[in-house]
Amino acid sequence: MRFNKVLLICSFFAVLFIILFSYSAHFGDISFQLRMARLQKDVRRIVLEKNPVEAFASLQEQIKSNPAIEDECHDIVHEIGHAAYEKYGLKESFKYQNDLCGSGYIHGVIEKYFEDHKGEAIDATKICNVTDGRCFHGIGPVSYTHL
């Protein structure tokens, strides 16, 4: 009987420790994710008020001051692409193409284009110049997620 009590108490504290440890680890991640969400809003605002070049410059400064951002910046650059598409349209957005953060910009531009043309048959050769491999690269993952 005494052994069962000790086992129960040890189990209780083990579970409590795991919960507390998990919470503190997630808390750090949540804080970082909130900073990333704020950064997405900031770069979006910069594109809409200025242009994508300024947004890329701002993001590069952020990466210099906090290198951990570079590991998570692909989605942030998607947001620069989204805002550029909304501001300039498809063809004009391509002029600001930048390979920062794994070509997230072109993914974001094309992702927004696909959202605007949901359910339509899309001819990739009408979107991309046949010689522009980066554009076709952008279509690949986006078309897969928007099937």
Side-chain angles (χ1 to χ4, degrees):
M1 184 71 155
R2 182 168 168 85
F3 176 74
N4 287 341
K5 280 185 179 179
V6 171
L7 183 60
L8 181 64
I9 290 170
C10 287
S11 297
F12 171 78
F13 282 107
V15 169
L16 182 62
F17 175 78
I18 290 169
I19 290 170
L20 291 175
F21 179 75
S22 296
Y23 175 76
S24 64
H26 284 35
F27 182 74
D29 288 344
I30 290 170
S31 174
F32 184 74
Q33 292 306 317
L34 289 173
R35 287 196 315 269
M36 294 301 96
R38 188 171 346 118
L39 187 51
Q40 275 186 316
K41 287 180 183 178
D42 290 346
V43 296
R44 176 179 181 70
R45 179 187 47 76
I46 293 169
V47 171
L48 296 175
E49 292 176 1
K50 296 178 182 177
N51 60 57
V53 174
E54 296 289 330
F56 284 121
S58 175
L59 178 58
Q60 286 175 316
E61 286 300 315
Q62 293 289 328
I63 290 170
K64 281 181 188 173
S65 68
N66 185 354
I69 292 171
E70 190 168 18
D71 295 336
E72 302 294 328
C73 68
H74 187 83
D75 288 340
I76 295 167
V77 179
H78 269 229
E79 194 60 37
I80 295 174
H82 292 168
Y85 175 82
E86 291 168 14
K87 183 174 181 177
Y88 301 111
L90 183 67
K91 296 295 182 184
E92 186 73 18
S93 295
F94 287 160
K95 293 178 181 177
Y96 295 97
Q97 194 159 302
N98 187 311
D99 293 330
L100 181 68
C101 302
S103 301
Y105 175 78
I106 195 70
H107 293 160
V109 169
I110 293 174
E111 187 173 57
K112 209 58 167 158
Y113 177 84
F114 270 58
E115 285 177 16
D116 282 357
H117 295 85
K118 196 170 190 104
E120 297 176 24
I122 296 175
D123 181 353
T125 60
K126 292 201 169 102
I127 298 171
C128 299
N129 178 328
V130 176
T131 61
D132 188 357
R134 293 182 300 179
C135 180
F136 284 103
H137 166 81
I139 288 176
V142 172
S143 62
Y144 179 75
T145 60
H146 283 83
L147 290 176

